[in-house]
Amino acid sequence: MSQPRQARAIRTREKIIRAAAEVFDESGFSGASMNKIVRRAETTMGAMYFHFASKEEIAQTVMNEQAADLTFPDGEDGLQRLLDINLEVAHQMRTNVLFRAGVRLAVEQGDFGMRDAAPYQLWTELFREQLEAAARRGELLPGVDTAEFAEILVGAYTGTQLMSNIATGRENLIERIATLWRYLLPSIASPEVIARLDLTGRAAAARKRAMRAVEKA
């Protein structure tokens, strides 16, 4: 394939994935159709089938690429960064359609014959890395199993976002995640450590502003 044709094919594939994410986000897997996705992507059915053999294959792609364009707060690895990431993910759940659709499909994947734990494993590993950094910094209580807690956190986060979506369309998701952490933190960190943590997202925002100032200097 020549360079221009290859680049065009890549752009078309990305358009289809974005359009599919929008349709899956609005209608779920059952309510989506190849025709709806083709119309939203403003492409042809031939182009669709060049990249994806079925609606199931598109859904799996959206599900597994849900974090492709997420951005995470900078900062030193540990409990504060884990909190910052959790709050930022809650924000992006409301603003990033690829992420939102991927999360919805991960929950609905039984509808298209999938039992793929990869999306959950991605988040489990990300959270575990921050928990292990927290352990190295002495931020965790003795006996905390970082791998076990990371799995618990992913499960609790998933349930919280589902409840928030049903109740408010995720309008209160950030507040619900902060509340979740207020109950979780005493089980893994001492009161002294908890007192130093920020659950409002202000710490991450301040770091982002500082980095932008440095870049402009």
Side-chain angles (χ1 to χ4, degrees):
M1 186 183 293
S2 66
Q3 287 291 101
R5 288 181 63 191
Q6 187 176 32
R8 187 163 58 249
I10 291 171
R11 288 196 299 271
T12 300
R13 182 181 184 278
E14 290 175 350
K15 280 182 62 178
I16 292 170
I17 291 173
R18 296 290 165 175
E22 292 176 6
V23 174
F24 287 131
D25 179 48
E26 294 167 3
S27 306
F29 179 81
S30 299
S33 70
M34 297 288 266
N35 284 330
K36 284 183 181 179
I37 295 169
V38 166
R39 287 197 299 271
R40 185 68 60 90
E42 298 181 337
T43 188
T44 65
M45 195 63 75
M48 169 74 80
Y49 281 113
F50 176 81
H51 292 283
F52 302 101
S54 64
K55 185 175 78 166
E56 288 78 7
E57 186 177 337
I58 304 173
Q60 185 176 10
T61 300
V62 171
M63 183 178 74
N64 288 329
E65 294 188 12
Q66 61 180 259
D69 57 2
L70 292 184
T71 57
F72 299 119
D74 295 311
E76 191 171 357
D77 289 345
L79 269 184
Q80 183 61 65
R81 187 159 189 244
L82 178 59
L83 296 177
D84 293 344
I85 289 171
N86 273 230
L87 294 170
E88 178 61 21
V89 167
H91 169 69
Q92 294 198 42
M93 182 80 74
R94 295 170 53 186
T95 60
N96 186 313
V97 69
L98 177 62
F99 178 40
R100 198 164 55 240
V103 168
R104 177 169 183 168
L105 289 169
V107 173
E108 295 180 356
Q109 59 180 291
D111 293 347
F112 50 102
M114 292 293 301
R115 292 188 64 179
D116 186 356
Y120 297 106
Q121 290 168 348
L122 180 153
W123 293 107
T124 300
E125 180 62 20
L126 175 65
F127 295 164
R128 184 185 64 79
E129 289 175 358
Q130 295 304 315
L131 287 163
E132 289 187 349
R136 290 192 297 271
R137 289 162 56 94
E139 295 178 334
L140 301 186
L141 294 172
V144 173
D145 185 319
T146 56
E148 187 175 63
F149 186 78
E151 289 187 349
I152 291 170
L153 177 55
V154 170
Y157 202 111
T158 299
T160 299
Q161 72 86 13
L162 283 171
M163 290 181 64
S164 176
N165 186 36
I166 292 168
T168 67
R170 298 193 182 94
E171 285 296 317
N172 68 353
L173 180 56
I174 294 173
E175 291 78 9
R176 281 180 179 254
I177 293 301
T179 299
L180 172 67
W181 269 108
R182 280 197 291 273
Y183 285 94
L184 290 178
L185 278 172
S187 69
I188 64 169
S190 68
E192 294 77 15
V193 171
I194 294 171
R196 300 197 300 266
L197 299 174
D198 171 56
L199 262 173
T200 66
R202 286 194 297 266
R207 283 194 293 274
K208 187 178 291 187
R209 287 194 299 272
M211 288 190 66
R212 286 176 180 168
V214 170
E215 290 170 358
K216 291 178 180 178

